[in-house]
Amino acid sequence: MSDSSLRERLRALRDQLHHHSYQYYVLDAPEIPDVEYDRLFRELQEIEAQHPEWLTPDSPSQRVGAEPLPSFNQVRHETPMLSLDNVFSEQELLDFDRRVKSRLDDAATLTYACEPKLDGIAVSLLYVDGILVRGATRGDGRVGEDITQNVRTIASIPLRLRGEDWPEELEVRGEIYMPRAGFERINALGRETDGKVFVNPRNAAAGSLRQLDSRITAKRPLEMSCYGIALQEGEALFETHSEGLQRLRDWGFLVSPELRVVDSIEGCLAYYEGLLARRDALAYDIDGIVFKVDSLALQAELGFVSRAPRWAIAHKFPAQEEITLLRDVEFQVGRTGAVTPVAKLEPVFVGGVTVSNASLHNFDEIARLGVMVGDYVVVRRAGDVIPQIVQVVLERRPKNAVDIIAPTHCPVCESALERAPGEAVLRCSGGLVCGAQRKEAIKHFASRKAMDIDGLGDKLVEQFVDAGLIETIADLYLLTVDQIANLERMGQKSAENLIAALDKSRVTTLPRFLYSLGIREVGEATALNLARHFGGLPELMAATEEMLIEVEDVGPIVASHIHAFFATEFNRDVVQQLCDRGVNWPAAQKQGGEQPLAGQTWVLTGNLETMTRSEAKEKLQALGAKVAGSVSAKTDCVAAGASAGSKLAKAEALGVKVIDEQGLLDVFARNGQAE
């Protein structure tokens, strides 16, 4: 590339980075994910390293962040809040270690403090005589925004320091972030109320901190974790960074429990790999690890470059957000007939895997995003969560982008699609006639909490349907050993085992049977209430919507789903075929009849030998008991099997009645629930 072309590229990079810094720091409206910003920034650094004569004071490489918002008072940091340099590979981290050691007179005592790099907003807190007097954002690194009223609302920030050994004046640096659970909660509320929906937890934390009304901030689930001390008036109280963080913990601050000190760069690499493996299990987002020379004396010897300390580095994790092209949108049909739009993407590596599909949820979400086929989009994948499109990169929208049009007919069976009032989801009206719903309905019917047909997995169900062996759930009970044994990857023994499992499943309970039918909105609890209320299947099938509404926890919408299911001739035929082919259950007790344990709360704990805990739970519920998961003073009885632990101990401490497995069997025998 010629010098003139390189200069033009440099100018374009600076303009882009200034623009995206403004979008992120000032407007709280990021247009690109962090990984894209990092790439642009590294390209800028490489050009400036090749041509240092082109370096200018206004280059993004010479400052941190962006200008403060004018609506907050400005705060000048006595010690600049600098950024950290990043590395993205093991070799780059080893190079950092080599540079550190080369600058030290004595590297023999070198140790590193290792901390997770929280994905939040850096802040400064000033304490005078142990009292919080000011909170400020980083801003441009030298001048930030006064957010004192907002930080006071965060429970993990002490208003007064604990103890008495703190210095007269103390400036603490830390990261304010939003845990994942809180992020999901406020976004769910935003979608329900047509309010603000945030792209990611860091975006949510930034938006919450920059509220002019601190009462809004107080409602947001924010936390702060300290990562250092910038100013300390008085005699030095500690010699290392990690000692300082421990002292902050003593003074009442939240400090990462993941903090470790290691004695080599190999220890840093092991720490990185260990936390990367646990990343998805953490309650908050992290985007890497920060490694710091632990000795404060060695930190002082190493010093700073223009925008970052020489004694610290951020080792970034694989990105959880990436930009890619939305090629097309396809529509998938689920068990209940719900039609879900699925984005077909240009494959992109994000969150540790290659992603080519992402959920668009429904057409309300498509409208909220404003997404079109042909757009460049931000895809986010965190842990095992299904990849999602969280944002459109409008500045890269092509002229030939096209709207996503809702289909009018099912892509599988051509039945008309319906959208109920107040719902965002399109549904196929084909019911069990629809091939897609047929497969999902059979999978649900065979699942553990339904008919519990051991060995009948998803792939085998798909083989049965694709081979034309079954069309409905009732056809399962017509299968033969020879039919199954002839399928791919099946054999005589596997076929015999599956037939045995099907035979065993014929004996079930009415609540399990009702749940297995896959009626919309009828889960385990509703199925149990229906069985208790009506006592038998014929009575339920003949019930009107008005009669159904009388059932506990059944409202007008659920009642209409149940009534519509049994009013459909095809569904009634399938139910009758199931009964004709041997599916049966013990007679249920109507709720109005005798239920000896009605109003009682029971708890099951330990290992039972004669039945599973799930079977015992069903029997107790059939007798009218509520089966809880924890023991309290309101618990009526605890049934304790072998190796019972804390629940048994708590029951004994509270004086709650405790019986063993034989006692539980006696209860069942007295009340007609014996095997």
Side-chain angles (χ1 to χ4, degrees):
M1 187 179 291
S2 67
D3 278 2
S4 61
S5 297
L6 205 57
R7 277 182 178 275
E8 186 61 33
R9 178 58 182 161
L10 181 63
R11 188 179 301 110
L13 284 169
R14 287 172 177 169
D15 290 343
Q16 283 181 277
L17 289 165
H18 279 308
H19 169 76
H20 290 303
S21 291
Y22 176 79
Q23 290 294 125
Y24 183 84
Y25 290 100
V26 178
L27 300 184
D28 275 339
E31 294 179 347
I32 59 174
D34 294 346
V35 65
E36 182 75 4
Y37 186 95
D38 289 338
R39 288 197 193 104
L40 296 173
F41 196 92
R42 285 167 69 86
E43 185 181 353
L44 175 75
Q45 288 178 308
E46 289 169 3
I47 295 175
E48 289 180 344
Q50 294 171 21
H51 294 276
E53 70 275 16
W54 294 350
L55 188 62
T56 61
D58 65 344
S59 171
S61 66
Q62 301 302 296
R63 68 174 188 173
V64 179
E67 296 296 325
L69 291 172
S71 50
F72 289 99
N73 292 328
Q74 294 188 348
V75 173
R76 180 166 293 277
H77 302 297
E78 295 187 37
T79 302
M81 293 187 72
L82 301 182
S83 185
L84 294 176
D85 284 333
N86 297 322
V87 296
F88 296 84
S89 68
E90 177 179 330
Q91 186 56 54
E92 288 180 315
L93 185 63
L94 294 174
D95 291 342
F96 162 75
D97 179 62
R98 178 183 49 77
R99 290 194 301 272
V100 166
K101 291 176 178 176
S102 69
R103 290 188 174 102
L104 294 176
D105 294 333
D106 180 13
T109 60
L110 179 64
T111 58
Y112 288 108
C114 313
E115 309 163 51
K117 186 178 183 298
L118 290 162
D119 204 6
I121 305 300
V123 294
S124 163
L125 303 175
L126 181 62
Y127 289 80
V128 176
D129 294 329
I131 304 296
L132 175 65
V133 298
R134 190 189 72 205
T137 64
R138 178 163 55 187
D140 65 2
R142 298 184 181 277
V143 177
E145 307 146 2
D146 189 330
I147 53 169
T148 306
Q149 290 301 107
N150 289 344
V151 299
R152 286 182 188 277
T153 70
I154 300 173
S156 54
I157 294 178
L159 300 178
R160 180 191 294 271
L161 301 181
R162 291 168 57 89
E164 298 179 350
D165 59 343
W166 27 260
E168 293 180 3
E169 190 168 329
L170 175 73
E171 183 182 350
V172 179
R173 301 273 168 86
E175 198 87 359
I176 291 178
Y177 61 96
M178 184 174 290
R180 292 172 184 159
F183 169 71
E184 296 296 339
R185 189 166 64 250
I186 66 168
N187 264 1
L189 180 62
R191 291 188 183 97
E192 291 172 5
T193 60
D194 292 327
K196 175 74 172 177
V197 176
F198 295 97
V199 173
N200 53 46
R202 185 170 71 171
N203 181 239
S208 301
L209 275 182
R210 293 192 174 105
Q211 294 291 330
L212 296 177
D213 185 349
S214 61
R215 292 173 296 182
I216 297 176
T217 307
K219 296 177 182 178
R220 301 282 172 81
L222 299 173
E223 295 185 8
M224 175 184 149
S225 180
C226 296
Y227 60 68
I229 296 174
L231 176 67
Q232 174 192 313
E233 288 293 327
E235 184 180 352
L237 298 176
F238 32 81
E239 297 180 353
T240 66
H241 169 74
S242 56
E243 289 174 16
L245 291 182
Q246 180 57 55
R247 192 61 59 88
L248 287 175
R249 184 183 285 116
D250 295 340
W251 293 337
F253 290 96
L254 175 64
V255 175
S256 174
E258 305 292 343
L259 173 68
R260 301 288 186 275
V261 177
V262 299
D263 59 6
S264 67
I265 199 64
E266 289 75 22
C268 292
L269 287 167
Y271 179 93
Y272 174 91
E273 294 297 336
L275 205 54
L276 176 60
R278 294 193 293 115
R279 177 189 195 181
D280 298 331
L282 299 176
Y284 43 82
D285 277 0
I286 61 175
D287 59 0
I289 307 295
V290 175
F291 299 116
K292 300 174 183 175
V293 171
D294 197 32
S295 165
L296 298 183
L298 294 183
Q299 286 186 11
E301 184 179 339
L302 289 163
F304 299 81
V305 292
S306 59
R307 65 181 299 274
R310 290 193 178 99
W311 40 265
I313 201 75
H315 191 179
K316 301 293 283 289
F317 283 157
Q320 290 185 299
E321 291 182 354
E322 270 288 5
I323 289 180
T324 191
L325 174 67
L326 173 58
R327 290 172 160 180
D328 197 3
V329 174
E330 295 182 354
F331 300 93
Q332 294 181 350
V333 185
R335 178 179 64 83
T336 64
V339 177
T340 303
V342 177
K344 311 303 288 186
L345 307 169
E346 185 75 30
V348 61
F349 191 77
V350 57
V353 300
T354 298
V355 170
S356 56
N357 298 320
S359 173
L360 282 167
H361 301 291
N362 52 54
F363 277 88
D364 283 359
E365 180 71 359
I366 289 172
R368 186 188 70 78
L369 289 168
V371 63
M372 302 172 70
V373 173
D375 273 336
Y376 283 88
V377 295
V378 177
V379 179
R380 178 174 175 81
R381 181 186 182 274
D384 294 327
V385 176
I386 296 171
Q388 300 180 56
I389 291 177
V390 295
Q391 189 178 3
V392 178
V393 185
L394 290 175
E395 64 180 22
R396 295 176 64 176
R397 170 169 285 170
K399 293 181 180 179
N400 61 348
V402 296
D403 290 329
I404 301 170
I405 305 298
T408 58
H409 290 78
C410 175
V412 176
C413 70
E414 293 296 323
S415 298
L417 297 182
E418 302 171 341
R419 183 169 177 173
E423 285 194 2
V425 178
L426 282 171
R427 294 186 187 276
C428 170
S429 61
L432 295 180
V433 174
C434 178
Q437 294 180 70
R438 184 185 307 143
K439 287 182 179 179
E440 295 305 315
I442 296 168
K443 293 173 186 177
H444 173 74
F445 181 82
S447 63
R448 184 175 60 84
K449 293 182 179 181
M451 300 299 283
D452 192 20
I453 304 174
D454 188 36
L456 185 53
D458 291 356
K459 290 185 178 179
L460 195 52
V461 168
E462 292 176 4
Q463 276 187 284
F464 287 157
V465 174
D466 292 342
L469 296 179
I470 55 176
E471 291 189 1
T472 73
I473 51 181
D475 292 340
L476 287 168
Y477 296 101
L478 297 179
L479 290 170
T480 66
V481 170
D482 289 343
Q483 286 176 315
I484 299 172
N486 288 329
L487 292 174
E488 184 180 356
R489 290 190 294 274
M490 294 296 289
Q492 185 75 16
K493 185 62 177 175
S494 296
E496 291 173 354
N497 290 340
L498 181 56
I499 290 296
L502 283 163
D503 287 340
K504 181 181 178 183
S505 74
R506 283 187 168 94
V507 180
T508 184
T509 66
L510 181 55
R512 276 182 174 267
F513 180 77
L514 294 177
Y515 174 67
S516 75
L517 295 177
I519 304 169
R520 280 184 63 192
E521 308 292 344
V522 176
E524 295 174 85
T526 303
L528 176 63
N529 289 337
L530 289 168
R532 284 180 176 178
H533 185 90
F534 291 102
L537 182 61
E539 293 83 358
L540 171 59
M541 293 178 68
T544 63
E545 290 189 40
E546 290 74 17
M547 296 167 66
L548 288 164
I549 291 174
E550 295 176 4
V551 180
E552 182 182 356
D553 293 332
V554 173
I557 294 176
V558 178
S560 68
H561 293 328
I562 298 169
H563 185 264
F565 181 89
F566 287 117
T568 302
E569 184 178 358
F570 181 84
N571 294 336
R572 296 175 69 92
D573 288 345
V574 170
V575 170
Q576 185 60 52
Q577 288 167 9
L578 286 167
C579 296
D580 293 343
R581 292 166 191 175
V583 176
N584 68 94
W585 49 86
Q589 290 180 305
K590 284 192 66 173
Q591 203 164 35
E594 183 182 358
Q595 286 194 304
L597 303 185
Q600 295 186 22
T601 299
W602 285 57
V603 172
L604 295 165
T605 185
N607 299 318
L608 301 178
E609 295 181 359
T610 57
M611 68 187 75
T612 65
R613 292 234 300 255
S614 179
E615 290 169 338
K617 178 180 177 180
E618 288 180 358
K619 289 176 180 290
L620 287 169
Q621 289 175 329
L623 296 174
K626 175 184 177 183
V627 181
S630 59
V631 177
S632 72
K634 296 182 179 180
T635 302
D636 293 285
C637 186
V638 172
S643 303
S646 60
K647 292 178 184 178
L648 174 59
K650 186 173 182 180
E652 292 172 340
L654 293 173
V656 172
K657 179 182 177 181
V658 177
I659 61 175
D660 59 13
E661 183 170 355
Q662 185 56 53
L664 182 64
L665 293 174
D666 292 342
V667 170
F668 293 152
R670 287 196 302 270
N671 295 286
Q673 288 292 326
E675 291 293 334

